[in-house]
Amino acid sequence: MLLAIDCGNTNTVFSIWDGTRFIATWRTSTEHQRTADQYYVWLSTLMAFQKIEAEITDMIVSSTVPRVVFNLRVLADRYFNTRPIVVGKPECALPVDVRVDAGTAVGPDRLVNTVAGHDLYGGDLIVVDFGTATTFDVVDHDGAYVGGVIAPGVNLSLSALHQAAAALPHVDISKPQSVVGTNTVACMQSGIFWGYIGLIKEICARIKAERERPMKIISTGGLAPLFQQTEDLFDVFRDDLTMHGLTVIHKHNKAIG
Ligand SMILES: Nc1ncnc2c1ncn2[C@@H]1O[C@H](COP(=O)(O)OP(=O)(O)O)[C@@H](O)[C@H]1O
Ligand SMILES: CC(C)(COP(=O)(O)O)[C@@H](O)C(=O)NCCC(=O)O
Ligand SMILES: [K+]
């Protein structure tokens, strides 16, 4: 079975894929100090708890944090006796083209989202991923990654306000009752929530105008539904988009040897 790992700057998601479906998914915070032994204790405890008797034979990793890859390679070698496929490394083949400026190291999560989007929804896509940063990945008609947009993430924007201004508290994102806030928390939530609705709409509209063609908007990441509840911003929401992309890339690399 395949262990697929998606490390973001905030959280790392592990999923076990049995060839047809994900039989388990677990999330932990991303910490580059975590050793292979620590990963294994955590993983094997959860597997035992959920009575999952999967024999892991393959591993694939996408990491926006380069430093965590070393310990994940040790995990693969020491506990699963396999060499992981690491997205973004030259030995990892992608089933789509990447058409960007020479020397650009595109975030592996964005490449994986592109592959997943193309596999599930074809071409002419905008993939919006709400993570530490919010990324917009533009997928051409043939599935190629052709660039995109990087915006500060929702929680990052809220933390930035708290960190930079002495009188602004830590606030969680939620949909405010009204636009005009009558207390500090409501004012901050309004700025981020409605600002974000505007950001998503404007960026998607401008991408469509620049590319002069209709495009399907695919969203992923835990915060997408919060915005979708208010405005019809996305054509599809797919929580497991990145994980799906990892299974497609794994299959592609196995097929070509
Ligand atoms: N359903 C959710 N509700 C509220 N916050 C969420 C939800 N899902 C993720 N987050 C928050 O969004 C931010 C980005 O998380 P995540 O998507 O795991 O980022 P990354 O992929 O960059 O590690 C984090 O601050 C996380 O706590
Ligand atoms: C933009 C990102 C920080 C998003 O990472 P995430 O929010 O998923 O942790 C990541 O994709 C990245 O480090 N990209 C490198 C630059 C680029 O994609 O062009
Ligand atoms: K992201």
Side-chain angles (χ1 to χ4, degrees):
M1 286 190 204
L2 172 68
L3 176 61
I5 306 176
D6 166 25
C7 303
N9 280 286
T10 307
N11 290 307
T12 299
V13 183
F14 287 67
S15 283
I16 299 177
W17 173 252
D18 74 358
T20 317
R21 64 186 191 96
F22 292 109
I23 58 172
T25 294
W26 300 292
R27 186 177 284 258
T28 182
S29 54
T30 301
E31 281 164 30
H32 68 83
Q33 300 95 328
R34 194 169 292 144
T35 66
D37 304 333
Q38 286 175 311
Y39 281 118
Y40 187 71
V41 169
W42 173 77
L43 203 58
S44 55
T45 305
L46 287 167
M47 285 173 74
F49 180 70
Q50 286 182 225
K51 301 192 169 50
I52 289 165
E53 287 173 18
E55 197 205 329
I56 310 264
T57 54
D58 293 65
M59 201 167 123
I60 183 162
V61 176
S62 158
S63 180
T64 58
V65 184
R67 288 175 80 181
V68 302
V69 175
F70 175 79
N71 284 321
L72 291 172
R73 283 188 190 278
V74 179
L75 172 74
D77 177 57
R78 187 174 298 166
Y79 293 101
F80 306 123
N81 196 26
T82 186
R83 258 174 71 93
I85 296 170
V86 180
V87 179
K89 297 286 171 196
E91 60 275 16
C92 174
L94 294 177
V96 298
D97 270 354
V98 179
R99 295 198 277 266
V100 292
D101 298 349
T104 301
V106 180
D109 55 326
R110 309 178 70 190
L111 299 174
V112 176
N113 285 344
T114 297
V115 170
H118 178 54
D119 185 67
L120 294 168
Y121 309 107
D124 287 322
L125 311 173
I126 302 171
V127 181
V128 190
D129 186 336
F130 293 85
T132 310
T134 298
T135 48
F136 296 72
D137 310 323
V138 177
V139 182
D140 211 346
H141 61 90
D142 63 349
Y145 172 84
V146 291
V149 174
I150 300 173
V154 175
N155 286 305
L156 188 61
S157 308
L158 281 164
S159 319
L161 284 176
H162 169 55
Q163 272 166 31
L168 297 186
H170 172 80
V171 171
D172 287 325
I173 184 74
S174 79
K175 185 185 169 182
Q177 296 300 314
S178 55
V179 179
V180 181
T182 51
N183 59 69
T184 308
V185 169
C187 290
M188 292 170 68
Q189 283 174 334
S190 184
I192 302 299
F193 184 86
W194 294 112
Y196 237 86
I197 293 267
L199 178 149
I200 298 162
K201 274 193 192 166
E202 184 71 11
I203 287 176
C204 290
R206 282 180 180 272
I207 291 172
K208 286 179 180 174
E210 202 165 281
R211 296 192 54 83
E212 298 177 324
R213 60 216 305 166
M215 300 180 83
K216 203 179 245 183
I217 307 175
I218 319 298
S219 67
T220 191
L223 291 172
L226 176 72
F227 298 109
Q228 183 72 2
Q229 278 162 22
T230 303
E231 303 250 344
D232 202 17
L233 301 167
F234 315 118
D235 295 299
V236 188
F237 168 70
R238 208 39 215 244
D239 196 30
D240 64 350
L241 189 76
T242 312
M243 276 299 159
H244 177 76
L246 285 172
T247 68
V248 175
I249 295 172
H250 172 259
K251 199 169 158 188
H252 178 73
N253 279 268
K254 283 277 157 183
I256 61 174

